[in-house]
Structures are given as C-alpha cells and as structure tokens.
Amino acid sequence: MRYHPLTATDRAEMLARIGVPGIDALFADVPADKLLTDLIDLPRMRGELEVERLMGRMAAKNVPASSVPFFVGAGAYKHHVPATVDHLIQRSEFLTSYTPYQPEITQGTLQYLFEFQTQVAELTGMEVANASMYDGSTATGEAVLMAHRLTRRNKAVVSGGLHPQYRAVVETLSDMAEDRVQALPPDPLGTEDILAAIDRDTSCVVVQSPSFYGHLIDLAPIAEKAHACGALLIAVFTEVVSLGLIEPPGRQGADIVVGEGQSIGNALGFGGPYVGLMATRQKFLRQMPGRLCGETVDAENRRGFVLTLSTREQHIRRDKATSNICTNSGLCCLAFTIHMTLLGSAGLERLARLNHEAAIRLADALGRVPGVEVLNDGFFNEFTVRVPGNAAAVIERLAERGILGGLAVSRLEPGRGLDDLIVVAATEVNTDEDRAAYAQALAAVI
Amino acid sequence: MLNDQGRPTRPEGAAAAEGTPAATPWTFTGNRALRVEEPLIFEIGRAETTGVDLPAPDGLAPRLGRLARKAAPDLPGLTEPEAMRHYVRLSRSNYSIDTGLYPLGSCTMKHNPRLNEKMARLPGFADVHPLQPVSTVPGALDVIADLGGWLCRLTGMDAVAMSPKAGAHGELCGMMAIKAAIRARGETRNVVLVPESAHGTNPATAALIGMTVRDVPARADGTVDVEAVKALLGPDVAAIMLTNPNTCGIFEPEVAAIAEAVHAAGAYFYADGANFNAIVGKVRPGDLGVDAMHINLHKTFSTPHGGGGPGAGPVVLSSRLAPFAPLPFIHLEEGRPVLVETEAGTAPGETPFGRMTAFHGQMGMFTRALAYMLSHGTDGLRQASEDAVLAANYVRAGLADLMTLPFPDHPSMHEVLFDDGFLKETGITTLDFAKAMIDEGYHPMTMYFPLVVHGAMLIEPTESESKASLDLFVATLRDLVLSAKRGETERFTQAPRFAPRRRLDETRAARSPKLRWEKPKPWTAAEAAE
C-alpha cells in the first residue's frame, strides 16, 4: 500500500523494540470482547487507477455548472476563478499545514490571514474582521449570539428577506441556546415593514441585502431605528461581489457584517467548503468569535504576525468562550485573498458591473416572455420572477432541456404559497446565447 | 527599528543587534538569499492594477437605486506574475506535513494523498451548485450516501448527520440532538459531564446550548473512573462528553461501564471522535455504547488541514438519537439516495432538530475522504490505525528513559504524552524545548495540552512516517534532552535561531491589537524635528 511506509520487517523490529509480542498488546485497554477480530465488512484496498474510475463514474452522473446555461444562485454563485488561485492554494506549504500555533514557522499563513482581514474590513466598510468562519450561514448564527452577548438581550428580529436556510440556522442555534427569534414571513416583494418589529427587547435585527429575492435594502433607516432601541444591526450578504458596486453595510450603519465569501476564489462544490466573512466595529472586538491574526514584532524587531486575543477562544476560556469554533476555513480564506488581490479595486468594480449588466439583460429577456413577471425594480445580479403555474415543475422542464434556470422558491419555502416564484442569478459567465436560450426555453415550457 | 515597510533598518552599531546573532551579517533588503522578506500586498499593490482580464462593461444604466457605492474600496491589485511571486514567497515561510514530520498531538498531521485533491476537483463534484435540480446531481448524492455508509459501518452506528462543517460544529450537532431527544421526553436536563482532560471545544459546545459543565476529575493514571462518573450522575445530567482514546493518548479502559452508567441515569454518551484514527477497524464506538460521535474527516481520513481548515465533522448517531438528525439528510428509498431538505420532506418518525448550515455540508471534504477510504479499504484503514499506534509507542520506547511519562501504566494509543519533569532544574521550559525543535527542522509537538499534566508535550507521529524518519526524530529529541541536561541553555532560550522569525511578541499583539493594515501616517514636521 503506497500510503503506508512501514514494511513487515519494520513492524516486527518496532514491536521488538517496544517489547511487546504483537500489535494487539498495544490495544490492551480495549475491552477484550469489543476488540474486533475480523475486518469490518467493507471493500478492500484499491489502486489509484481503480479509485479514479470509481469516483469518475460518480462525478460523471452530475451536470456541472460550466456545461450548461446556468442561472442558479440563492447563496452560492458561479463565477470564473483565475487558474492562479487554485494553483497557489495547492502549494504544499499552504495546503498541508495546520493552524499557525508556532508563528515562527507559519508566517505564510499568518500574513495572508492579516491581508484577508484587511481586505474584508475594507470591503464591508468596517473597522475589524476576523480570520474566517465556516460559511455565511453559520457566521450569521454566530453574529446573533454575539449581539446577545453585547446587548444582554436575547430576541433577534429576522427579516423575511434572509436566505431561508440562513434563517433556519439562526433559529436552530437560538432555539438550542434558549434564545428567541422573531422571523418575519418571506418577503418576495420587498415590502416588509421591519421597523415595526424592532422594540426595546430586540437584541439585533438581521437583514440581508441584496435580499434572498434580490432586493437592495436601504439599511440606514433600519440601523437608525435599531440603535434608537438599543439594538444592533446585523447586515448579511450572500453575494460578496455586490460590494463592488453597492454602498458597504458599514457605511449604512451596520454593527456586525456577515456574509458568504464563496464567490471570490472558491468553487461551487455542491455547498462547501465555503468561507464565512465577519466584520465589526473596533469596540465590539472582544466579543467577536473565531480567530484573529495580529501584527507584532519578533525578538529582532522584525515585523511578524501571530494569532491573538485567544483569551476569547475555546481552548483558553472553555465554557466561557465567545464560541466553540476551532477549525476555520483557512484555505478558503487564502483562495479569497488571492482572487481579491488579483482583482484589486479596479477588477472588483468591473466584475461587479459585468454581473449587474448580465442580470439587467437577463431580467429584460425573461420579462419579455409572455406570462412572466420580474418582481424587482432594483437588484444586483439576482432577482425573482413569477411564472404561471408551478415553478418547481418549470425548473425541472428547463433542466430536461439542458438549462439550469434558477431556484424554485418552494424548494426552500414549501407550503408558504410561493409556488410560482423562481430566484434567478446571472453572472459574468453567462453569454448572450445562454440568456437567449433561457428565455426561449422558458417561453416553451410555461 | 522598522521602516515603513516593516523591514529592519540598518542596525546602529552593536547595540541594536546585541544578543541577536542572526541579525548579522546585515543585508540591504533584509533578505537572506532564498529567504526573502515579503511585504504586504498593500505595500506593493496599486488600486488601479488588476491581474484579471475582464471585458469592458457596456455602460448600461445601473438599477441600484440610491445604494450605488459612493467611493471604491481601497483594495490594491497585483498582476498575475506579482501575485504568483507574492504568495509563493509567503508559502516558503510555512512548515507543512509535506516538508517534514508534524507531530502535533490530537491534530493528526498525516500524509495528504494528491489523488484526493484530483478527485475533489472533478467538474462533476467541484462545479455543481447545492441548489441545482436534484435530478442533475445523483452522483453527488451517491458520494454523501456512500461516505455516510462507510462511517456508519466503521463506527457501528445507525445514522449519520453529514452537514456539520468541522469537528466542533459536529460536537454542537451531536449535543443538539441530545438536547432535542431530552426535550422530546418532556424532561429538562442541563448538566453535561466533561473530563478535565477534554478538548476546550467540549465545554464551549455544552455552554453554547445553555448547558452547565460539571468537571469529571482524572485519575492518577490519566483515565476516567466509572465511580467518579456515577457520583456525578443524576436526574439533571443530560450527557457525558468523553474523548476516547482520551487526550492523554490512553484508551479509556472503563468506557463500556461508563456508557452503561450514563444510560442507566437517563443520560446520553457523547464521544469526541477527534482520536478515532487510533481505532478504526479495531473497535467500533457503537459497540462501546456511544450515542453520538463526530468524526473529523480532516484528521482520520486525511483531508488537508489548509492552515487551519476547512474541516468536516459528520456525526454518527445511535438509534436513540437518529430521529433527531438535522436537515438536510439523505435516506435510501429502494437503494437510491433521496435528499430531504425541509421538514415537509420528512418521513414519519423523523423529527429533525433544525439545521446546522446552509446547503449540504463540506462536499469537497466528502469527496477527499471517500477517495481516501476507497484507496485504503477496510484492510488498509485497520493497518493505518495499527501503524499510528505502533509509531507512537516506538517513539515512546525510544524516549522513555530520558523524558518523563506521566502515565506509564497504560500503552499509548496514536499519541504519546510526556511532561516537563525531565526539564526540572534545567531552567528550560516546554516552550523553550519546542522552539529548539524548530531549529532542528521539526514542527514542535502539541504543548501545554492536555491540562492535566504540567508542561505537557503530546507527540503524534501518525502512520505516514517511515522507520528512518521516526529514528531520526527520536535521535534528535534525545540529543536535545541531553543538551538541556548538560546546561546548554541558550540552545533553548534563544530558539528558534534559524526560523523565518525569532520568537514573536505575543503580549504586544494582544495589548495593542493591530488586526489590519493601515496606511502609514504622513510625514510630519514634529517627527523630523526629533
């Protein structure tokens, strides 16, 4: 077996050096009746070629996004990632290193985490960012708990424009922590009155912009009302590219900004691994969960970086920690930071503009299909259309024609009377032909 | 002194370099030939530079309303060659498993096969969207179902929750399932028993769901006493969280009796599966009475750690907890995997406690772990566990006469725990000892964990080290111990002397946190006058 360097001779010599008759002597603490004598009933070792064939067959059963006109978004987005990104993250020294517990020999990881934190803070218009959460949804859950610690209140008000699965994560975490969530009903028209829901018991208001349905939300009045009631505004985004064109949440009054960073540098990967982004104000720093990388100097006064403020973390504070997070999404942060570095401000703005224009063109094309209505006036790269009849069936019929046309809202919000809605995303990867094919196919299947 | 690029300026006479021999000889750049000082991107990039060729937008009127960005973010760009050089240079100041033995106890740094990377990057896995029509992703469901099947078989458990994003997230999932099960019984139990030697994530997880932690003391031999557990059990106890093999590297001999006592008290047995790699194919947690256990795919099944993540933490569940598994999950209908994403899709008897994350979990890690399992097979996985245990005990045998073993009465599993007893009267600490290992080209072992012994050093060589590699490692540590005992203190207190950085000032980093790059302040007349 190519993964096991020890030979039978090695093993015999090592057992002799240890002074035991056989390997099972080292498992002596396992109750004798529990120690397995036979191999577990599973397949035996296979060579590289055979595994490639097996896995390749499974992969071939799926339809990759790049192989078809593709318009699915709703929290994960198909973008082009420069080849350099994947090459660099596969450098052994990045790929196969661990958490930088020994800073003298992990400056590579620490420096890119510092660069990542700076980029995220700048993008979101906030003062400080952490060194990554698992993904946008869990970061949102953590932000709510953080707001509860900061305000010493335990009721979160959640907008109906929040991604339904993010809402479910917040509800689950809060429910288990015995906290309360007031989740407003789904808001496909972008007309909800969230201001009315904020009161003196509210710890935080959670608002996604662009919303799950694609609406751009003006956060400033929400921040104002929240602050007047002593609550915090948690701003959420699922499409980080939108920050290239939209006023950052930090400048609209948000106290904690969380979101999904997958769009920059990371593959769709059927939902993970992704990278959660979190940024906040300096004064809330010590209640922020997750890892932080800070600048310092070494014994020769050279600049260097270390993990810092770990007295907030589980390995020191145990049951008093701000979070139980240990593993982060370090390598996904690296992919993010490399891609963002390649883009720079100029590239990000251009990418955002291309996405927005693709969405405008698609919205106009679909809006011209008889019977189809585009619900949004303003949007970034994602919007909602109403189709006659059952949207889930429409999506299936489109798929049969080789077009992945978006997400039927009813898949995530069953039984809510939203069976005729599709959330559609357009990005820079879509061509004019893709859009025309979609509009034509939609006209044919409805 | 540092200049505005954070580089050392030329030392003024001997004073600046006193006691720091590595600072000399001086170079203009601060570089040392192949060892290059790399600035931050903010110091070398420009906002108008971009390394991505994108077509020019057509200039359509935007539909952003009043929310258009008023000022562009200040993010420097690098061209492709600049970025390539920047990140390659950064990578070279990192230690990794591909560059050397990485004996971090409890972290399990083993070989990461590149076949797994290749498989994870097949477009059919990497380039599929979590919400594209289910009819277009049957192969992805196969991967989840197959991996889940392997995990259930290997652990002897009934069900698996695949979505948790990391080990600690899996702990949270398992404990939430326990809380849901207790609620379903109409009971309130809010105490969790956690041995002193547990990972910090265990008490943090329990606290996160509103539970109170009650410590279980460790016996003098590093194990948990069933009688001590019984004394703490009562109608308020929801669960015990036990790591097995434990963090002292010992298999808990009374684990089955502990499980029985916990069940008799109406509580559940949560096993921290961080050390599952020691026992795969040798003993099944389900046979020991475990109700829930997370599996760190990145440790046991070798998905690369990537500088601290991503991980993946599927949770296997006993039949008592299986009905509460969170959304989404897959069940088999006529042998074919069916994806359940909402409560509306559940079958009778399934009462999911909620959702841990958007989408389906760490698919990229699932494909890597499955490729690893298929490559090893049931025989190879058992061999891996045996070799990991063999390697740890071989290192122990080579060092036991020079270093102090706090718990000599039990064989070590995949990791061997020493304490700092052998450094007494040398004036050298565990930290100094670890830093001296860096100068020898090794990543240090886990230090000061577990907390149950003073100055802990937890060594986990793993199954991927050859005998020659283990022999050199043992010889190196023997030389270091003898050197310490001879009083060669500077070799330790001054270490690391040859790393990209000398010891870093962590106090300064924490006292005045500097967490992002700031533009250097403009030159002022006051500074010039100084």
Side-chain angles (χ1 to χ4, degrees):
Chain A
M1 167 46 130
R2 66 191 188 284
Y3 297 151
H4 295 158
L6 299 180
T7 66
T9 315
D10 290 336
R11 290 185 186 114
E13 283 175 18
M14 290 164 73
L15 286 167
R17 175 74 182 82
I18 295 163
V20 291
I23 190 71
D24 280 351
L26 300 175
F27 289 85
D29 282 332
V30 179
D33 60 328
K34 310 290 186 199
L35 195 67
L36 299 172
T37 48
D38 295 330
L39 286 173
I40 292 172
D41 183 22
L42 284 163
R44 302 285 184 120
M45 278 185 195
R46 290 187 180 92
E48 184 157 335
L49 174 61
E50 205 179 339
V51 175
E52 283 190 30
R53 278 195 194 121
L54 274 168
M55 300 285 291
R57 273 203 289 274
M58 285 196 244
K61 289 162 81 175
N62 300 326
V63 178
S66 298
S67 66
V68 287
F70 188 85
F71 303 95
V72 191
Y77 301 88
K78 171 67 187 164
H79 292 288
H80 176 254
V81 178
T84 307
V85 175
D86 194 44
H87 175 83
L88 283 170
I89 68 166
Q90 288 197 71
R91 287 279 301 185
S92 281
E93 304 90 331
F94 288 138
L95 185 74
T96 76
S97 60
Y98 197 66
T99 306
Y101 291 140
Q102 299 287 343
E104 299 88 352
I105 46 171
T106 45
Q107 285 297 303
T109 296
L110 287 159
Q111 183 167 332
Y112 81 64
L113 291 178
F114 188 81
E115 293 177 347
F116 171 82
Q117 287 173 183
T118 306
Q119 285 174 330
V120 173
E122 180 63 29
L123 258 179
T124 53
M126 301 301 284
E127 287 161 347
V128 287
N130 70 9
S132 99
M133 317 292 289
Y134 306 135
D135 68 2
S137 66
T138 56
T140 305
E142 291 282 350
V144 169
L145 297 185
M146 177 176 161
H148 292 173
R149 289 193 297 275
L150 285 165
T151 59
R152 296 170 197 274
R153 300 178 188 177
N154 71 348
K155 192 188 89 178
V157 171
V158 173
S159 158
L162 183 67
H163 192 293
Q165 294 183 332
Y166 284 43
R167 182 188 71 221
V169 172
V170 169
E171 284 178 328
T172 301
L173 203 52
S174 299
D175 170 49
M176 287 289 169
E178 312 286 348
D179 288 346
R180 291 176 292 156
V181 172
Q182 182 188 345
L184 275 59
D187 181 33
L189 297 174
T191 52
E192 77 179 3
D193 181 10
I194 197 157
L195 297 183
I198 308 169
D199 59 25
R200 293 253 150 219
D201 288 339
T202 307
S203 66
C204 59
V205 192
V206 184
V207 183
Q208 179 179 328
S209 178
S211 78
F212 176 68
Y213 300 93
H215 299 288
L216 302 179
I217 312 289
D218 187 354
L219 299 174
I222 305 172
E224 200 176 314
K225 174 79 189 280
H227 294 157
C229 291
L232 303 179
L233 171 61
I234 298 173
V236 183
F237 56 85
T238 59
E239 173 52 291
V240 60
V241 176
S242 67
L243 295 177
L245 275 192
I246 294 172
E247 188 68 353
R251 279 198 228 122
Q252 299 186 59
D255 299 288
I256 307 171
V257 181
V258 285
E260 177 54 66
Q262 172 268 329
S263 286
I264 302 291
N266 287 279
L268 286 171
F270 201 52
Y274 288 176
V275 49
L277 312 181
M278 176 182 265
T280 189
R281 303 186 183 287
Q282 181 81 30
K283 63 181 174 183
F284 300 145
L285 175 63
R286 281 166 208 273
Q287 287 302 328
M288 191 193 257
R291 292 203 181 112
L292 294 167
C293 171
E295 183 183 321
T296 187
V297 293
D298 79 350
E300 290 172 5
N301 215 21
R302 289 178 295 179
R303 177 171 66 188
F305 303 92
V306 292
L307 292 181
T308 192
L309 298 176
S310 57
T311 47
R312 305 162 301 115
E313 290 186 78
Q314 35 72 29
H315 62 281
I316 309 252
R317 288 298 298 284
R318 298 175 81 81
D319 53 340
K320 306 279 190 302
T322 56
S323 160
N324 77 335
I325 288 180
C326 179
T327 292
N328 66 354
S329 286
L331 200 71
C332 302
C333 289
L334 176 62
F336 179 100
T337 203
I338 295 170
H339 191 179
M340 191 58 83
T341 299
L342 285 167
L343 286 166
S345 289
L348 178 67
E349 199 206 336
R350 181 171 276 206
L351 179 64
R353 231 168 252 294
L354 290 171
N355 271 258
H356 187 46
E357 290 190 348
I360 291 172
R361 289 215 158 76
L362 182 66
D364 289 349
L366 298 185
R368 282 193 293 270
V369 174
V372 173
E373 182 194 355
V374 177
L375 298 189
N376 319 54
D377 296 327
F379 50 83
F380 173 64
N381 70 350
E382 193 162 23
F383 54 87
T384 302
V385 294
R386 175 173 283 140
V387 294
N390 185 294
V394 169
I395 290 293
E396 267 316 310
R397 288 199 292 272
L398 287 169
E400 283 163 16
R401 290 170 175 252
I403 289 163
L404 302 187
L407 172 75
V409 171
S410 61
R411 178 166 164 188
L412 304 188
E413 296 278 25
R416 297 266 206 167
L418 304 173
D419 294 351
D420 55 356
L421 300 182
I422 300 175
V423 174
V424 182
T427 73
E428 79 284 359
V429 304
N430 302 137
T431 61
D432 288 339
E433 291 75 28
D434 289 345
R435 284 185 284 267
Y438 187 7
Q440 204 179 1
L442 187 60
V445 303
I446 59 178
Chain B
M1 283 304 292
L2 302 179
N3 66 16
D4 63 3
Q5 291 201 342
R7 294 170 180 229
T9 51
R10 182 172 201 152
E12 294 295 330
E18 195 175 355
T20 55
T24 55
W26 177 83
T27 59
F28 172 77
T29 52
N31 299 342
R32 302 260 189 286
L34 294 183
R35 170 72 240 143
V36 171
E37 293 293 314
E38 184 61 16
L40 291 159
I41 50 173
F42 311 100
E43 293 157 347
I44 49 178
R46 294 148 306 273
E48 71 271 23
T49 300
T50 181
V52 182
D53 290 330
L54 292 165
D58 290 333
L60 297 183
R63 296 184 195 169
L64 300 167
R66 288 171 296 126
L67 292 170
R69 188 154 191 146
K70 291 179 186 69
D74 187 9
L75 295 167
L78 297 180
T79 58
E80 193 173 301
E82 291 173 304
M84 185 66 83
R85 191 174 284 165
H86 175 71
Y87 289 103
V88 167
R89 283 175 170 178
L90 285 191
S91 76
R92 292 170 57 179
S93 47
N94 256 12
Y95 196 93
S96 71
I97 186 64
D98 285 353
T99 43
L101 196 153
Y102 212 130
L104 267 181
S106 224
C107 299
T108 312
M109 295 298 286
K110 61 168 81 172
H111 173 57
N112 300 137
R114 289 311 192 276
L115 170 62
N116 306 352
E117 295 303 307
K118 187 176 176 186
M119 295 301 94
R121 283 172 172 79
L122 292 172
F125 295 139
D127 194 31
V128 289
H129 190 288
L131 295 175
Q132 70 186 61
V134 178
S135 58
T136 63
V137 289
L141 301 192
D142 284 349
V143 167
I144 296 176
D146 283 6
L147 180 64
W150 276 76
L151 293 175
C152 288
R153 282 276 175 89
L154 292 173
T155 55
M157 303 284 277
D158 291 288
V160 60
M162 294 296 284
S163 68
K165 294 271 179 182
H169 205 222
E171 285 178 32
L172 196 56
C173 174
M175 293 305 291
M176 283 178 169
I178 287 170
K179 184 158 180 168
I182 288 169
R183 275 182 182 171
R185 284 165 22 191
E187 292 180 40
T188 316
R189 291 168 174 255
N190 58 4
V191 171
V192 177
L193 306 184
V194 182
E196 287 176 330
S197 61
H199 293 114
T201 49
N202 290 176
T205 297
L208 210 56
I209 59 164
M211 301 271 188
T212 308
V213 173
R214 198 176 282 164
D215 282 340
V216 184
R219 272 195 296 222
D221 71 349
T223 63
V224 174
D225 182 355
V226 64
E227 295 307 322
V229 172
K230 280 183 185 161
L232 294 169
L233 283 168
D236 57 346
V237 175
I240 189 169
M241 295 181 84
L242 189 75
T243 308
N244 190 37
N246 69 24
T247 55
C248 303
I250 302 169
F251 190 93
E252 293 285 353
E254 292 180 351
V255 60
I258 291 169
E260 218 167 284
V262 166
H263 290 154
Y268 293 91
F269 180 5
Y270 186 87
D272 180 315
N275 298 333
F276 185 50
N277 63 310
I279 56 170
V280 178
K282 298 296 288 183
V283 54
R284 297 186 304 176
D287 295 342
L288 302 171
V290 167
D291 290 302
M293 183 177 93
H294 72 267
I295 296 166
N296 305 72
L297 292 184
H298 47 293
K299 295 185 184 190
T300 302
F301 302 107
S302 98
T303 65
H305 291 55
V315 178
V316 287
L317 299 166
S318 66
S319 58
R320 289 146 40 97
L321 295 179
F324 305 100
L327 297 164
F329 53 80
I330 279 176
H331 53 212
L332 296 178
E333 279 176 20
E334 291 164 10
R336 287 180 50 201
V338 175
L339 177 67
V340 180
E341 288 179 292
T342 63
E343 272 183 60
T346 56
E350 293 172 345
T351 51
F353 69 73
R355 176 175 272 276
M356 301 294 298
T357 175
F359 314 130
H360 319 299
Q362 306 286 62
M363 181 66 177
M365 303 293 112
F366 300 164
T367 46
R368 288 171 176 87
L370 186 59
Y372 180 89
M373 289 175 175
L374 293 173
S375 297
H376 277 76
T378 184
D379 45 343
L381 289 174
R382 181 167 76 174
Q383 187 69 60
S385 297
E386 290 183 351
D387 284 356
V389 171
L390 182 63
N393 284 281
Y394 184 65
V395 169
R396 168 175 163 160
L399 296 170
D401 60 327
L402 287 182
M403 293 171 70
T404 32
L405 278 172
F407 308 122
D409 301 339
H410 294 273
S412 296
M413 297 303 286
H414 60 300
E415 54 193 354
V416 52
L417 177 64
F418 296 102
D419 64 22
D420 63 357
F422 71 96
L423 291 172
K424 238 180 229 161
E425 284 148 37
T426 61
I428 293 163
T429 63
T430 292
L431 181 72
D432 297 331
F433 192 83
K435 299 299 183 192
M437 287 171 67
I438 292 177
D439 281 341
E440 300 296 334
Y442 286 111
H443 193 285
M445 70 292 264
T446 294
M447 305 178 301
Y448 302 110
F449 179 83
L451 307 173
V452 287
V453 301
H454 193 270
M457 304 181 197
L458 187 63
I459 297 176
E460 180 175 8
T462 81
E463 73 275 13
S464 37
E465 295 304 322
S466 68
K467 183 164 173 296
S469 159
L470 294 172
D471 285 338
L472 181 60
F473 179 66
V474 167
T476 307
L477 289 194
R478 292 187 70 85
D479 182 71
L480 282 172
V481 176
L482 294 172
S483 170
K485 291 190 170 167
R486 281 197 302 270
E488 294 165 9
T489 315
E490 284 206 351
R491 184 174 173 192
F492 300 89
T493 56
Q494 292 294 308
R497 297 164 295 168
F498 310 121
R501 284 290 177 273
R502 306 289 300 275
R503 278 194 218 184
L504 288 139
D505 188 346
E506 305 207 16
T507 313
R508 171 175 164 155
R511 274 215 189 119
S512 44
K514 198 172 169 192
L515 305 176
R516 60 179 291 183
W517 182 78
E518 305 273 2
K519 267 201 176 109
K521 288 199 185 75
W523 179 88
T524 66
E527 278 172 354
E530 274 180 21

